[in-house]
Amino acid sequence: MRRRVGLLISGRGSNMMSLIAAAKDPSFPAEIGLVLSNRHDAPGLGRASEAGIPTAIVDHRAHGDRAAFDAAMEALLVGEGIEIVCLAGFMRILSDGFVSRWEGRMLNIHPSLLPLFKGLHPHRQALRAGVRVHGCTVHFVVPELDSGPIVAQAAVPVLAGDDEDSLAARVLEAEHVLYPDGLSLVATGRARLIDGRTVFSA
Ligand code: GAR
C-alpha cells in the first residue's frame, strides 16, 4: 500500500518536485495527494499543477491566528486522506496542536547537519563557523524548531571560495536525493518515531 502524502510549501518547491518525481515510480512507497501553500505566489504551486498534483492555498494572513490557520490546513489534509505530511520549504511555524496531531507522521528537511545551524541562514552560519563538511537533514517534526529526531542526513564538502549561494546549491542537490530516501524510510515503517527517538528496522 502506498501512503498518501501532503506537501506543505511556501516557495519555489524544488524539494517538492524531487518528491513528486520519486513518487512517479509505482514502486515508491508513497504517492503525493496534495500540495498546500500558505502563499498565493509560491512558484511551486504552478509546478505542482503542471505535474498533475492537486493544489490548495491556505493564506496565513486570512486567518485570525495560528490555530485557525492550522485548522484550515488540517481540514484540507484530512479531506484528501493524507497520512504523512512533508514540509518542503514551508516557512511558517506550526502550532503545537498541529504538530502533535501529526506526531511521527510529519517530516521536514533542513539544509544543515542538525543539530548544527538551526533556523535561518544555515549556510551563512556554516561558513562563519568554518566547518569543512556541511549538509542536510530529514527529521520528524516536533514543536521545537529544527529539533526533531533525525531520519536521514547527507554531507557535502565546503570548498575553498564557497559563498552562501554556491554552498546552498551543493546542499540543495543533496536534499533532492535525501528527501525521497527519508520519506521512503518513514512510509515503509523502516523509520519510526518511538518515545522521542527514531527507531530503524530492516
Ligand atoms: C530548502 O533548502 C529547504 O531545505 C529549506 O528551504 C529550501 C526550500 O527550497 N528549508 C528550510 O530552511 C526549513 N527550515 P525549495 O522550495 O526549492 O524546496
Side-chain angles (χ1 to χ4, degrees):
M1 266 299 273
R2 304 178 90 202
R3 312 295 302 275
R4 272 179 80 72
V5 172
L7 307 180
L8 270 53
I9 67 165
S10 299
R12 70 189 160 186
S14 72
N15 277 291
M16 171 201 79
M17 287 308 295
S18 78
L19 293 169
I20 290 173
K24 276 209 172 127
D25 180 343
S27 68
F28 191 75
E31 61 182 7
I32 311 304
L34 180 67
V35 168
L36 220 159
S37 171
N38 65 307
R39 299 182 58 107
H40 292 271
D41 57 355
L45 282 171
R47 302 176 76 185
S49 296
E50 276 166 30
I53 309 293
T55 62
I57 298 161
V58 180
D59 185 345
H60 56 275
R61 291 162 307 186
H63 293 82
D65 55 20
R66 205 183 294 285
F69 168 66
D70 289 357
M73 287 201 300
E74 178 79 18
L76 286 165
L77 293 167
V78 170
E80 282 293 337
I82 298 302
E83 301 166 283
I84 297 172
V85 170
C86 290
L87 309 184
F90 185 70
M91 294 309 194
R92 301 293 300 171
I93 293 178
L94 297 161
S95 68
D96 288 1
F98 187 91
V99 171
S100 65
R101 272 195 300 286
W102 289 93
E103 190 181 74
R105 302 183 299 136
M106 181 155 58
L107 297 174
N108 181 41
I109 189 158
H110 183 75
S112 75
L113 290 173
L114 292 173
L116 291 173
F117 315 135
K118 296 175 182 180
L120 293 176
H121 308 303
H123 309 303
R124 190 181 305 170
Q125 294 184 55
L127 288 170
R128 284 200 181 138
V131 294
R132 305 301 312 280
V133 176
H134 186 39
C136 49
T137 302
V138 173
H139 63 92
F140 286 110
V141 176
V142 299
E144 198 187 334
L145 191 70
D146 299 332
S147 296
I150 290 167
V151 171
Q153 291 187 300
V156 303
V158 180
L159 302 180
D162 262 339
D163 58 16
E164 271 185 68
D165 289 345
S166 62
L167 188 53
R170 193 173 310 117
V171 171
L172 194 64
E173 252 182 68
E175 291 183 50
H176 295 162
V177 178
L178 188 72
Y179 213 171
D181 287 351
L183 173 57
S184 178
L185 283 171
V186 172
T188 54
R190 283 174 295 154
R192 282 178 295 155
L193 179 62
I194 298 175
D195 294 335
R197 299 182 66 86
T198 307
V199 176
F200 294 93
S201 53

